[in-house]
Amino acid sequence: MATRANRAGKPIIRRIGISTGGGDAPGLNAVIRAAVKSALNRGWEVVGIRRGFDGLFKPGMAKKLTAKDVAGILTMGGTILGTTNRGNPFEYRTRVGGKTVVKDMSGHVLQSVRKMGLDAIVCIGGDGTLQIARRLADMGVPVVGVPKTIDNDMPGTVVTFGYDTAVSTATDALDKLHSTAASHQRTMVVEVMGRYAGWIALNSGVAGGADVILIPEIPFDMDVVCKKIEDRYRRKRNFAIVVAAEGAMPAGGKMFTREHKDTGRQEVLLGGIAQWVAEEIQNRTGRETRSLVLGHLQRGGHPTTFDRLLGTRFGAAAIRLIADGGFGRMVCLRPPTIDSVSLEEVATGKPRTVPLDADTILSARQMGISFGDRVE
Ligand code: F6P
């Protein structure tokens, strides 16, 4: 399906759709608001598609959005459109006669985009959502992508919105844990999100004064971790803070995964590392150790100023991208400007992980923070 173009070769746009897919992230509403306002100001109609790609083939899931619908949402967490991290139209899972059946619903998506008269769709999501958007673009659906994830692991952009808020939440938790850890002379092990990338752990760990930071990019050795903890107690710093990314793993070991009965979810759920590390520390050092998992708290709350601004810039830039006919592309941050990159290039399923020569890692090591590895 081709969007009609005017004499200048620019697409003729009357109506666009907006959808949010994957795990929610603070700043989603800022993107929606900016995109809706910018589109309405061009005289376009905007349709909000509910619950990710599900809303593109299930009836009654699309609703016209007005300026009133987006008033007051800039500071709100979550997404007014709802989302899901199970909705892949190419492998749609449904229950038939008590059994899970996988169906390809992409043809239905195409049909309903036509039926709704959408000249373009803004797909806001992380790697999973944008991979689906890329496949839809290959089928001729006029999509533009906006990168979202608290994990900050989306290639092609220096940072995603949602990440700054998640790091702030984790840092705030570390600040709070310092006083209880010190009062009880305990070691606290805090598990943060991030999937296969250690951005949240690294940056909250450094900003929150952690003693040990465990990230997926650097497999760790429990002997090294325990030695660092013992050193602290020997120096009469009678407590320690360990931040563990959910995807961190011991050298030669595996990532910690959680069993779940949620058959529709495409990806494995990570988790459990903090409890394991805490038990190892307590068993090996005899020091009282506790663990906690910050979990979905990191996805909630008001977006920080940074995320509101980035979300707003992304939302407005997505509309400019549509006006320029930049379908199959994703807006991205290349400081100081917002640019765009082809979805084919970035939505590949390969996460953007922390480079080992990142200056934050070097600075942390210089200050004595341990990553649980042996460094000469
Ligand atoms: O990708 C965002 C994220 O929050 C990850 O950090 C985490 O592993 C996962 O999603 C949790 O997914 P769910 O929402 O299914 O619990």
Side-chain angles (χ1 to χ4, degrees):
M1 57 179 292
T3 307
R4 284 171 307 123
N6 62 20
R7 276 204 212 130
K10 300 279 177 172
I12 300 169
I13 307 290
R14 292 208 184 86
R15 181 181 298 150
I16 64 162
I18 300 186
S19 90
T20 53
D24 66 336
L28 276 168
N29 284 324
V31 181
I32 297 168
R33 172 178 173 270
V36 170
K37 287 183 126 195
S38 311
L40 294 179
N41 283 338
R42 284 176 186 261
W44 302 352
E45 262 180 32
V46 186
V47 176
I49 296 151
R50 292 193 54 76
R51 270 184 256 146
F53 294 109
D54 281 11
L56 278 175
F57 58 86
K58 289 188 179 169
M61 303 269 273
K63 176 189 176 285
K64 202 169 144 184
L65 291 177
T66 63
K68 206 165 155 213
D69 291 313
V70 296
I73 67 169
L74 175 63
T75 59
M76 283 165 47
T79 158
I80 58 162
L81 296 176
T83 188
T84 172
N85 40 22
R86 293 188 214 95
N88 180 352
F90 292 94
E91 286 166 43
Y92 186 72
R93 281 158 198 266
T94 176
R95 301 282 290 173
V96 178
K99 283 196 185 143
T100 302
V101 180
V102 181
K103 286 186 187 168
D104 181 355
M105 301 297 282
S106 55
H108 290 72
V109 170
L110 210 60
Q111 267 176 24
S112 72
V113 170
R114 280 199 190 113
K115 215 159 123 194
M116 284 193 259
L118 300 180
D119 301 309
I121 304 176
V122 180
C123 290
I124 313 167
D127 186 64
T129 302
L130 294 180
Q131 278 184 63
I132 297 166
R134 193 194 79 195
R135 291 179 73 180
L136 291 174
D138 289 345
M139 291 171 66
V141 180
V143 300
V144 300
V146 176
K148 160 248 58 161
T149 167
I150 66 160
D151 303 335
N152 199 32
D153 60 353
M154 188 69 211
T157 184
V158 166
V159 69
T160 48
F161 70 86
Y163 167 67
D164 185 67
T165 309
V167 171
S168 301
T169 300
T171 305
D172 189 39
L174 296 180
D175 291 349
K176 289 182 172 142
L177 288 170
H178 265 80
S179 57
T180 173
S183 305
H184 287 264
Q185 297 99 51
R186 278 176 177 161
T187 293
M188 303 294 296
V189 185
V190 187
E191 181 171 314
V192 297
M193 283 185 169
R195 291 202 72 73
Y196 308 122
W199 296 104
I200 298 179
L202 174 64
N203 286 291
S204 65
V206 171
D211 306 295
V212 178
I213 300 173
L214 306 176
I215 59 175
E217 294 83 350
I218 307 178
F220 61 88
D221 179 338
M222 265 326 292
D223 289 342
V224 177
V225 173
C226 291
K227 184 173 174 305
K228 171 70 189 175
I229 308 268
E230 283 294 21
D231 281 352
R232 269 185 69 80
Y233 283 88
R234 241 193 314 277
R235 284 186 289 114
K236 304 283 178 249
R237 302 286 290 144
N238 287 334
F239 72 95
I241 305 283
V242 178
V243 180
E246 61 182 0
M249 61 191 150
K254 284 202 288 206
M255 281 186 191
F256 288 76
T257 55
R258 277 183 285 145
E259 288 277 324
H260 64 100
K261 301 254 182 306
D262 182 1
T263 50
R265 204 182 186 289
Q266 308 277 311
E267 291 174 306
V268 69
L269 272 178
L270 299 176
I273 182 148
Q275 192 185 343
W276 183 81
V277 168
E279 281 169 10
E280 287 289 309
I281 293 173
Q282 178 144 335
N283 292 340
R284 290 170 184 233
T285 66
R287 307 278 181 195
E288 199 177 24
T289 308
R290 294 283 189 271
S291 68
L292 74 149
V293 180
L294 288 192
H296 296 81
L297 269 180
Q298 295 157 96
R299 298 222 305 243
H302 302 296
T304 57
T305 306
F306 182 90
D307 282 339
R308 285 180 209 181
L309 190 54
L310 184 60
T312 300
R313 293 173 74 196
F314 275 173
I319 298 305
R320 293 198 295 275
L321 196 56
I322 291 175
D324 287 341
F327 302 123
R329 297 183 72 76
M330 172 189 97
V331 297
C332 61
L333 179 67
R334 289 208 179 112
T337 52
I338 303 289
D339 204 338
S340 75
V341 59
S342 114
L343 281 171
E344 204 174 330
E345 209 180 299
V346 292
T348 57
K350 210 169 164 277
R352 188 178 71 94
T353 52
V354 179
L356 294 182
D357 61 354
D359 76 275
T360 316
I361 293 188
L362 302 179
S363 305
R365 286 198 196 279
Q366 235 172 281
M367 294 186 321
I369 296 174
S370 172
F371 288 89
D373 58 339
R374 292 178 197 277
V375 272
E376 300 309 317

